[in-house]
């Protein structure tokens, strides 16, 4: 495993880098996935803090012998199911295989065997004069078990980038670079292909699917975005195969801004429906856009995340940073949107007031219960001491994965191997952070 | 272990030795073993444990234990749910059957669908063993608890239990049950509404007719307009059951509007369900409504924009036509159904069901509308489509008669003999045999034999070989005279063919047609040629010639 060293000389493994963050539907739980294929689940305590609830190994590295390719164990996405009963269910996926996990609690254990005594030694058979069925249940320390319930494999020739659960609670989609498949949560040996972008001749390939998501309420609508900057809305009611989109959301590129990098920076890296189901939030390299589902030709709002990078695109291209995929998120009332940036900065935009703030998630800055101070990036001369110059931004520190609690003002930010959780108290930003490189307890998931 | 007749008493019937207790003790301990296979094994022998414990200890100890320590391995839970369905006698008979309810109630809430379904099945089974009093005291409260449970899983399970307890309870309790069912039909979660929709028909069947009209219809209409596609399509299934329960005069007002809506639903999956259930719907609504409503609906489904829907409708064409009222059948088929059928797959389906359609429609009429389709399919680029049509050819020939066949279809059959795909040539040969069987040797002599023999001079050796294969297939059906006079000379002549494959197939042909010829002919004409071939340069030709000689006993 390669070891990376951050500027404060803290060693951590690439395996610990967080690659997915997701709140459960009620917000009581928060799951993170990392490059090493592990999932850590946090539970919100009555006092409001999130503490580790369960840890398990979701995916292992594999080798595809047919193509001589390694399949990474990195968790690409996690999605929680709506709660069915007292246990909790979540879908996790790497590049090729999706898994359904059940996380349940056990707090009682039966005691008293017929053939063994209290210490577990076998009893003398001749001493057994009666049969005992143990009605005695002794309380035990809470045991949280994660068990693998389903494996959905072998349906994707390309790398899976998204999973999304339908509002019917019965089906879900998985998307790779060229195809989107529809699954039933109970059936692992069959999936239906609903979108197929693969051209007859691969040399004609001009776009790939980057993200796909189901509408939160309408079971027949799904959105998928592409590397060419378009987002399509498909209606599963009209056809079995949804290659024809019902709507196409695309903004014409301003000719003044056109450059060699225009298409690359227009590639959409994340798509999220608003909780209301009326809007779509898309994130491309430099901006975040809010679209009204009823208007396809331009977004209703555009937010510049880090426009100061426009002059640095060449350097970012050379370092591959231009291909970084940032996620975005809505708050519970759809009034604020959030997305990550470089230098461990993340940005929040209030849609009504049009005010925005840049905050930093890093160890030096975040002490428990400290209030975060807004940061500013300046292009020219520094106006304040706390400003950061564009040229001193650390592009190795990127906030790609962010999540917002479904109802409350609590956000989870992943910065390489660290997870930060911030809560809004009395309209200040206060926070505590949890480190990923020293997991408190690692439980072995049952071998499958 | 012997069954214990006395109630309490922890001294078991193993008085003749502790050995008899040991296997049971093992089974009980293994109920909690880490190894799932051992747990499964014990669960499958649960009746053995219960017998050893006796009815009282089973009730007071075993069942509570099973209720409290449910593990999550599906197989184990499934086996347990199944076992409990047969446990009535082991707990002491119908008087005590309600003791089985707690563990089954617990199993009815697990997330694994197969386990829940089995638990519901077992609950339904044992419900019949409950006295009406016990139903009201024990069973119905369970159903109520499940129906008002916090978890989706318990509410979905409740849906399967209403119909079994309704018939035998008092009218107050019946009203409660109806209320619970209503609530579940409008539950927040699609999972529960789906379960309710899928049980709607079954529940309607046990209700009094007045309640079917007052309660069920409005629930049905609501579910059929649900925002979730998956709920609406289950309502279509319920439609069939409900329509069967109502008197004819009520169908038009109570059911048809909803059915019409479903046949035009925006979601192709709902329209698919309508197409799939069409025959059942037809039977349920009766001939009048079929004529006025279902025929236009069927037309639309046959022309639907989604191929899956068209295919589902096409599958039902035969049954639909068969069940049309006799007086209007012909008109409906000719004017409404056939014209809707444009695409090859659907036409093929109709053609294959010609024997039913033919009875009512004249040959000429039929051929005019279908012949273009047949020709099109016979020449389709995909060989599997051509193959399918060849397979219908004998049937078609029989339906349409020899004159029509000669006029229109003969050339097709001959063309297939020289198709570039071997499977087609082979099927075409087999087809000829069947035609000869239908139309007779004389017809064969006049129409097809000359053409088959003509191929013997074809420059392509594959076609020359086809002649031989045809002769192989036809000789028996054509008989000795035709074979000797017309076919044999051609075969013998081909023994001089340049291509070795042709020559050794001559040997094989002679072996095949030999039994049809008389012995003079065999000695005078066949034997010399075979002897010549036995001395051929090519070793395969030699081999087959020698084999033919020995099989025909000409040596």
């Amino acid at each position: 495993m390669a070891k990376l060293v951050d500027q404060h000389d803290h060693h951590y493994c690439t395996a610990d880098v967080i690659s997915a963050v997701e709140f459960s539907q009620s917000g009581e739980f928060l799951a993170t996935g990392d490059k090493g294929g592990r999932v850590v689940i946090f539970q919100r305590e009555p006092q409001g803090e999130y503490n580790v609830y369960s840890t398990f190994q979701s995916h292992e590295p594999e080798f595809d012998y047919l193509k001589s390719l390694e399949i990474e164990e990195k968790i690409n996405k996690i999605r929680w199911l709506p709660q069915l009963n007292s246990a909790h269910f979540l879908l996790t996926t790497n590049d090729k295989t999706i898994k359904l996990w059940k996380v349940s609690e056990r707090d009682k254990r039966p005691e008293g065997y017929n053939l063994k005594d209290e210490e577990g030694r076998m009893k003398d058979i001749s001493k057994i004069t009666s049969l005992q069925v143990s009605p005695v249940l002794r309380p035990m320390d809470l045991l949280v078990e994660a068990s693998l319930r389903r494996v959905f494999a072998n349906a994707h020739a390309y790398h899976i980038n998204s999973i999304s659960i339908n509002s019917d609670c019965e089906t879900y989609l998985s998307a790779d670079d060229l195809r989107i498949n529809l699954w039933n949560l109970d059936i692992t040996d069959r999936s239906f292909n609903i979108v197929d972008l693969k051209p007859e001749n691969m040399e004609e390939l001009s776009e790939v699917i980057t993200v796909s998501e189901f509408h939160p309420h309408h079971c027949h609508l799904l959105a998928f975005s592409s590397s060419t900057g378009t987002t399509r809305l498909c209606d599963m009611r009209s056809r079995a195969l949804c290659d024809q989109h019902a709507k196409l959301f695309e903004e014409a590129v301003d000719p003044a801004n056109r450059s060699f990098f225009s298409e690359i920076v227009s590639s959409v890296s994340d798509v999220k429906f608003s909780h209301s189901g009326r809007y779509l939030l898309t994130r491309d390299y430099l901006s975040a856009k809010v679209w009204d589902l009823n208007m396809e030709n331009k977004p209703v709002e555009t937010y510049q995340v880090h426009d100061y990078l426009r002059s640095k695109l060449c350097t970012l291209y050379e370092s591959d940073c231009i291909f970084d995929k940032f996620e975005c998120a809505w708050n519970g009332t759809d009034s604020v949107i959030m997305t990550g940036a470089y230098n461990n900065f993340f940005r929040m935009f209030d849609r009504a007031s049009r005010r925005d703030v840049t905050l930093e998630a890093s160890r030096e800055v975040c002490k428990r219960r400290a209030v975060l101070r807004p940061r500013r990036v300046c292009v020219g001369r520094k106006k304040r001491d706390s400003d950061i110059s564009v040229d001193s931004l650390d592009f190795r520190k990127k906030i790609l994965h962010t999540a917002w609690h479904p109802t409350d003002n609590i956000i989870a930010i992943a910065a390489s191997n660290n997870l930060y959780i911030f809560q809004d108290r009395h309209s200040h930003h206060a926070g505590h952070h949890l480190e990923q490189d020293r997991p408190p307890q690692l439980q072995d998931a049952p071998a499958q | 272990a012997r069954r214990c007749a006395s109630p309490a008493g922890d001294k078991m019937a193993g008085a003749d030795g502790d050995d008899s207790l040991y296997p049971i003790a093992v089974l009980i301990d293994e109920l909690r073993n880490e190894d799932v296979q051992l747990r499964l094994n014990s669960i499958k022998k649960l009746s053995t444990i219960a017998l050893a414990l006796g009815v009282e200890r089973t009730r007071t100890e075993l069942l509570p234990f099973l209720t409290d320590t449910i593990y999550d391995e599906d197989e184990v839970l499934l086996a347990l749910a199944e076992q409990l369905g047969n446990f009535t006698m082991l707990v002491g008979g119908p008087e005590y059957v309600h003791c089985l309810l707690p563990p089954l109630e617990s199993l009815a809430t697990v997330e694994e669908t197969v386990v829940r379904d089995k638990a519901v099945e077992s609950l339904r089974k044992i419900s019949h063993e409950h006295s009406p009093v016990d139903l009201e005291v024990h069973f119905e409260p369970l159903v109520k608890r499940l129906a008002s449970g916090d978890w989706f899983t318990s509410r979905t399970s409740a849906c399967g239990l209403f119909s079994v307890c309704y018939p035998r309870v008092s009218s107050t309790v019946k009203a409660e049950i109806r209320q619970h069912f209503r609530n579940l039909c409008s539950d927040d979660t699609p999972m529960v509404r789906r379960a309710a929709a899928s049980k709607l028909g079954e529940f309607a069947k046990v209700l009094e007719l007045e309640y079917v009209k007052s309660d069920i219809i409005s629930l049905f209409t609501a579910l059929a307009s649900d925002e979730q596609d998956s709920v609406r399509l289950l309502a279509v299934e319920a439609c069939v059951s409900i329509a069967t329960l109502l008197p004819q005069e009520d169908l038009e007002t109570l059911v048809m509007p909803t059915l019409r809506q479903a046949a035009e639903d925006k979601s192709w999956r709902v329209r698919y369900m309508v197409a799939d259930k069409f025959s059942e719907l037809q039977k349920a609504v009766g001939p009048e409504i079929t004529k006025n409503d279902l025929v236009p609906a069927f037309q639309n489904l046959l022309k639907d924009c989604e191929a899956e829907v068209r295919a589902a409708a096409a599958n039902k064409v035969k049954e639909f036509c068969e069940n049309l009222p006799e007086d209007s059948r012909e008109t409906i088929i000719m004017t409404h159904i056939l014209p809707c059928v444009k695409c090859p797959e659907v036409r093929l389906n109709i053609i294959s069901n010609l024997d039913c359609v033919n009875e009512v429609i004249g040959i000429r009429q039929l051929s005019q509308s279908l012949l273009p389709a047949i020709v099109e399919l016979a020449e389709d680029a995909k060989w599997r489509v051509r193959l399918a049509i060849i397979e219908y050819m004998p049937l078609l020939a029989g339906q349409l008669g020899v004159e029509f066949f000669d006029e229109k279809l003969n050339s097709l059959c001959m063309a297939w003999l020289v198709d570039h795909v071997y499977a087609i040539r082979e099927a075409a040969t087999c087809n000829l045999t069947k035609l000869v069987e239908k139309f007779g040797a004389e017809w064969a002599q006049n129409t097809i034999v000359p053409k088959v023999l003509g191929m013997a001079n074809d420059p392509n050796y594959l076609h020359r070989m086809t002649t031989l294969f045809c002769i192989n297939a036809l000789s028996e059906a054509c008989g000795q005279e035709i074979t000797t006079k017309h076919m044999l000379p051609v075969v013998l002549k081909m023994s001089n063919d340049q291509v070795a494959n042709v020559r050794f197939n001559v040997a094989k042909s002679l072996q095949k047609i030999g039994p049809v010829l008389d012995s003079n002919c065999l000695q005078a004409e066949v034997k010399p040629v075979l002897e010549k071939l036995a001395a051929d340069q090519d070793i395969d030709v030699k081999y087959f010639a020698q084999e033919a000689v020995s099989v025909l006993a000409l040596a």
Side-chain angles (χ1 to χ4, degrees), chain B residues 285-339:
Chain B
V285 303
E288 267 313 296
I289 297 183
T290 296
K291 221 172 16 174
N292 300 327
D293 273 289
L294 291 194
V295 171
F298 197 53
Q299 277 179 291
N300 290 332
L301 291 171
L302 284 168
K303 294 187 286 191
D304 197 279
C305 58
E306 170 54 48
E308 301 273 351
V309 178
R310 291 197 300 272
N315 264 337
K316 298 291 174 185
V317 167
K318 175 180 178 185
E319 229 181 310
F320 183 70
C321 293
E322 273 171 1
N323 291 318
L324 287 171
E326 276 195 38
D327 54 349
S328 41
R329 196 183 291 170
E330 184 179 327
T331 344
I332 293 178
I333 294 177
M334 286 314 294
T335 46
H336 297 291
I337 306 297
L338 274 181

Side-chain angles (χ1 to χ4, degrees), chain B residues 36-155:
Chain B
V36 64
Q37 285 307 316
L38 292 174
R39 292 205 300 276
L40 188 59
N41 183 55
S42 284
I43 291 284
K44 287 186 174 163
K45 303 225 177 91
L46 209 59
S47 48
T48 312
I49 299 176
L51 277 173
L53 289 172
V55 295
E56 180 159 339
R57 286 192 73 189
T58 298
R59 290 196 303 266
T60 55
E61 292 176 55
L62 184 60
L63 292 181
F65 166 66
L66 292 171
T67 309
D68 289 337
T69 57
I70 301 261
Y71 297 107
D72 72 341
E73 300 292 342
D74 313 341
E75 297 169 278
V76 177
L77 296 181
L78 185 62
L80 179 59
E82 174 144 21
Q83 288 284 313
L84 291 174
N86 299 317
F87 245 53
T88 310
M89 293 319 290
L90 293 164
V91 292
E95 207 186 320
Y96 295 103
V97 68
H98 60 267
C99 298
L100 294 171
L101 298 180
L104 282 172
E105 182 174 350
S106 180
L107 288 168
T109 63
V110 306
E111 72 279 358
E112 206 52 52
T113 316
V114 293
V115 176
R116 274 206 313 279
D117 287 349
K118 183 60 78 174
V120 169
E121 190 187 307
S122 290
L123 280 167
R124 286 158 70 113
K125 227 194 230 179
I126 65 175
S127 75
H128 300 303
E129 318 256 14
H130 283 65
S131 66
V133 171
D134 278 343
L135 268 183
E136 289 199 17
V137 172
H138 298 286
F139 199 88
E140 199 257 345
L142 176 154
V143 179
K144 270 206 298 224
R145 277 195 302 277
L146 287 175
S148 357
D150 285 335
W151 308 124
F152 306 170
T153 48
S154 52
R155 301 202 298 277

Side-chain angles (χ1 to χ4, degrees), chain A residues 272-336:
Chain A
K272 290 270 171 29
F273 280 99
S274 64
H275 291 91
S276 64
R278 183 156 163 216
Y279 298 99
L280 260 179
L281 173 62
T282 62
R283 173 72 157 99
D284 50 75
Y285 190 64
L286 297 175
S287 65
K289 297 177 182 174
V290 173
W291 304 77
D292 185 318
L293 286 186
N294 297 315
M295 184 158 75
E296 298 169 60
N297 62 340
K298 59 183 162 89
V300 290
E301 292 146 37
T302 303
Y303 300 97
Q304 299 301 337
V305 181
H306 36 205
D307 205 52
Y308 43 75
L309 295 182
R310 210 176 271 279
S311 53
K312 291 191 157 298
L313 292 180
C314 202
T315 331
L316 293 166
Y317 179 82
E318 274 157 28
S319 62
D320 274 352
C321 285
I322 205 174
F323 300 106
D324 285 336
K325 294 193 181 358
F326 292 94
E327 287 173 10
C328 53
W330 296 88
N331 74 338
T333 52
D334 298 335
S335 57
V336 182

